[in-house]
Amino acid sequence: MDIGEIARRAGVSRSTVSYALTGNRPVSEATRRRIQTVIDELGFRPNAAARALKEGRTRTLGLVIPAAGRRLTDMQLGFVATVVEAAAGADFDVLLSPSGGDHDRSFERIVTGRRVDGVILMEIRLEDDRVSRLRRSGLPFVAIGRTRDTAGMWWVDIDYTALVSRCVHHLADLGHRHIALVNRSAELIAAGYGPGHRALAGFSEAVAERGVAGLDVCCGDDAPAGEACVERLRAEHPEVTALVSVNEAALPGIQRGLERAGLGIPRDFSVAGVAARHWAEDFRPPLTAADVPTHDMGARAVELLLEQVSTPTAYPRHLLHTPPISLRSSTGPAPRPAT
C-alpha cells in the first residue's frame, strides 16, 4: 500500500496525506482522523509515520547547532552524535538546524513549521534570543547550557564556575603564583557565551581567594590560535607558570607552543582545564582536567525533552554536572625562580 491508495480511500489528495504524516503543514483534526481510519482498516504495518499520525506527533526532534560557517568543536560534535543516538533509541529522528546570522530563518521554520515535537539548543548565551523565542512559542525545548535567568527552563550544563575554580586551587596548592585562563574566542565572549563567562567568574573568584595573580586571555577555537596564545603569554607575561584552559580545540596548539618555547610540562609549566576526556588523554603528558561527560549530557537532554513532550505539564527540571578533576601528569610544583 502506498500514499496514493491511502489518499484515494480517504478522499483527500496525496499531499494532504503527506502533510498529515510528516506534520510539515497543518491538517484539520477531522481529516487526520479519516486518514488514520483508512490506515487502520487496511492493516497498514505501523511505522514511524503512522505512529506519528496516530499520536499527533512528528516523532522528530530538532537540534539547533551553531552556524554552519563555524567549525564545530569535538565537544559539540560529541553532543550532536549522542543526541542522535539517544533519539534513535527512543524511535525519534533528529532534524539539524543551524542558528545565528543568515540561519535565523532555518531556526524560525523549526519553531513554527510543525516539523518537530521539541527542540534541543546548543551553545547557550546568557541572554539568548532563541530561548526567548521558544518560550513564547510553547514548543518544548531543552538547552545544553543555560541562560542567566533559568526560571521555567529545562537544561543540562557543566558547572564551569566550580570546575575552573578547582583547577586554580589545585595549581595554587602546587605553589603557582601567576596563572592564566585560556578562554574561548573574543567574539563568543562578547556575544555573552555562557560557559566562557562562568569560567571567568570561577577563575576570578579563585585567584582572589588564593591571593595569586590571574590573567584571562581569549583564544580562537583551533590549534594555531592556541599556539599563538602561548607565544603571546610568553612574550608579554613570562612570569606565568601555569594555565587553565576551557578551550579544548586550542589544546594541541598550547602543547606545541610550550614545546617550541622549550618548556617541559609540568617541569617548567603546568596545564589544567575542562575538556572532553579524549582531548585530555591525547595531551602530552595527559592533561589534569575535569572530563566533560558529553555522552551523558546529550542523552539526558533527550530524556528531559521526551519527558516534556509526553507530559506537557511536568515541572521544569535541570541537571548540573560537576565532574571531578582527574589528576593526570600535566601539573606539578611551580618551578623555582632562576637565581
Side-chain angles (χ1 to χ4, degrees), residues 250-264:
L251 284 172
I254 290 172
Q255 177 181 318
R256 188 161 59 241
L258 291 171
E259 290 172 349
R260 290 186 60 182
L263 298 175

Side-chain angles (χ1 to χ4, degrees), residues 65-249:
I65 61 176
R70 281 179 46 201
R71 184 173 60 185
L72 297 184
T73 67
D74 273 29
M75 188 184 299
Q76 293 164 345
L77 289 172
F79 287 137
V80 172
T82 301
V83 165
V84 170
E85 180 183 359
D91 205 17
F92 275 72
D93 295 323
V94 175
L95 176 62
L96 297 181
S97 174
S99 66
D102 296 335
H103 301 288
D104 284 342
R105 286 180 296 178
S106 175
F107 174 67
E108 190 62 23
R109 286 195 296 271
I110 285 283
V111 176
T112 63
R114 296 187 62 184
R115 298 182 175 191
V116 299
D117 297 322
V119 170
I120 294 174
L121 285 176
M122 293 172 52
E123 298 292 279
I124 304 300
R125 300 175 181 181
L126 295 177
E127 307 294 336
D128 200 309
D129 291 340
R130 300 170 305 167
V131 171
S132 300
R133 178 69 184 90
L134 284 166
R135 279 173 163 162
R136 292 194 303 271
S137 75
L139 185 66
F141 75 95
V142 173
I144 299 179
R146 65 195 192 279
T147 55
R148 195 188 314 274
D149 176 15
T150 60
M153 185 175 171
W154 298 65
W155 52 269
V156 178
D157 202 4
I158 287 286
D159 193 347
Y160 279 93
T161 301
L163 295 178
V164 169
S165 176
R166 290 179 186 178
C167 287
V168 171
H169 282 290
H170 169 63
L171 293 169
D173 288 342
L174 291 170
H176 294 277
R177 308 299 298 171
H178 298 272
I179 305 170
L181 170 68
V182 177
N183 210 324
R184 300 290 294 277
S185 71
E187 292 78 11
L188 275 177
I189 301 303
Y193 178 61
H197 282 266
R198 292 189 171 98
L200 179 56
F203 181 76
S204 300
E205 291 169 7
V207 297
E209 183 178 342
R210 296 304 296 263
V212 300
L215 174 72
D216 62 280
V217 294
C218 291
C219 180
D221 292 340
D222 54 40
E227 187 170 0
C229 180
V230 169
E231 291 176 355
R232 189 167 67 252
L233 275 176
R234 297 305 299 161
E236 301 175 6
H237 302 278
E239 71 280 5
V240 171
T241 61
L243 66 80
V244 179
S245 172
V246 293
N247 190 328
E248 63 176 22

Side-chain angles (χ1 to χ4, degrees), residues 6-19:
I6 296 173
R8 186 183 69 79
R9 296 198 179 205
V12 298
S13 67
R14 292 171 60 94
S15 60
T16 298
V17 175
S18 176
Y19 296 149

Side-chain angles (χ1 to χ4, degrees), residues 33-81:
R33 285 198 300 268
R34 193 159 71 249
I35 294 170
Q36 181 61 52
T37 298
V38 171
I39 289 175
D40 292 340
E41 289 174 350
L42 293 175
F44 184 63
R45 182 181 177 183
N47 58 21
R51 286 196 300 274
L53 177 61
K54 191 169 186 177
E55 297 169 2
R57 299 176 186 164
T58 66
R59 299 201 71 82
T60 300
L61 306 179
L63 177 58
V64 180
I65 61 176
R70 281 179 46 201
R71 184 173 60 185
L72 297 184
T73 67
D74 273 29
M75 188 184 299
Q76 293 164 345
L77 289 172
F79 287 137
V80 172

